[in-house]
Amino acid sequence: MTIDEALDAGAPPIMAILRGIRPDEAVVIGRALVEAGIRLIEVPFNSPEAGVSIAAMADALGTEAAIGGGTILTVEMVDRLAAAGGRFMVSPNSDPVVIAHAIACAIEAVPGFLTPTEAFTAIGAGAHRLKLFPGSVFKPDYLSALRDVVPGDVGLWVVGGVGAANLAEWRARGAAGVGVGGSLYKPGDDDATVGARARNLVAAWKS
């Protein structure tokens, strides 16, 4: 499943960032997220054996959720993600070479940006969703200003410091979606805990 397919099926635009997850817990945590309504799941590549976790979730949940990799910094990482069955890549930066390689591998690129220059670099390389990161260093008004100049068909997602308490404010300023990490999952959290947090996030987005 791709990001577009998940969203078209009615999933809220909330990406779960499972930094630090282990392969032995990946499917259980992934299942809890899916059952709570979150269908976009990212495993950062600085997690233990990230490719193994991605492959396990892609195999078990790939028809129900879009499974991807994060902290993708190089072409080689893109190739590892493709081999694991990931459908999208997220990066903290906007590297045109990495973005173009991901697209050539049929992997959607969601690169990170902070400035308009970086945003347009990513768009020029073919990205149509961008990750404002770290969102915590700016107020939502900054996103609103970016929204005035970035083409309307490019989705701006916010990552960093986003949670149930401030989703509405970011959304009101033009966020097409959000990525949520530490307030949703930390290493050692069990599936019941993650599922409850996920349900709160979904409810906050829909409210």
Side-chain angles (χ1 to χ4, degrees):
M1 178 175 283
T2 65
I3 293 177
D4 283 334
E5 288 169 344
L7 297 178
D8 289 346
I14 300 171
M15 187 176 294
I17 304 169
L18 305 181
R19 192 177 305 279
I21 197 166
R22 304 185 314 270
D24 62 289
E25 61 181 342
V27 173
V28 172
I29 296 294
R31 173 60 63 189
L33 291 167
V34 169
E35 291 178 353
I38 292 181
R39 305 298 178 96
L40 309 176
I41 302 174
E42 170 199 336
V43 177
F45 259 61
N46 54 3
S47 303
E49 299 182 274
V52 178
S53 292
I54 291 167
M57 286 196 288
D59 183 60
L61 304 169
T63 61
E64 303 172 76
I67 311 297
T71 320
I72 302 294
L73 305 174
T74 66
V75 166
E76 184 269 338
M77 285 182 173
V78 173
D79 291 338
R80 288 165 54 197
L81 175 61
R87 301 303 304 272
F88 66 88
M89 61 141 267
V90 182
S91 60
N93 62 333
S94 292
D95 185 327
V97 173
V98 175
I99 294 168
H101 186 68
I103 293 169
C105 293
I107 293 174
E108 180 174 353
V110 186
F113 81 101
L114 197 59
T115 68
T117 298
E118 293 166 344
F120 281 98
T121 295
I123 294 167
H128 68 274
R129 286 188 176 93
L130 308 180
K131 176 183 94 169
L132 176 61
F133 175 78
S136 57
V137 304
F138 289 111
K139 294 181 179 179
D141 284 346
Y142 180 67
L143 179 66
S144 181
L146 290 168
R147 190 69 278 173
D148 286 341
V149 296
V150 173
D153 60 347
V154 174
L156 299 182
W157 292 51
V158 182
V159 178
V162 182
N166 61 6
L167 273 181
E169 189 173 7
W170 282 109
R171 190 175 183 184
R173 296 298 191 277
V178 296
V180 183
S183 64
L184 177 59
Y185 169 83
K186 293 184 179 67
D189 288 341
D190 62 20
D191 57 318
T193 299
V194 175
R197 291 171 181 162
R199 286 189 290 275
N200 286 338
L201 278 169
V202 171
W205 182 270
K206 292 180 176 180
S207 65

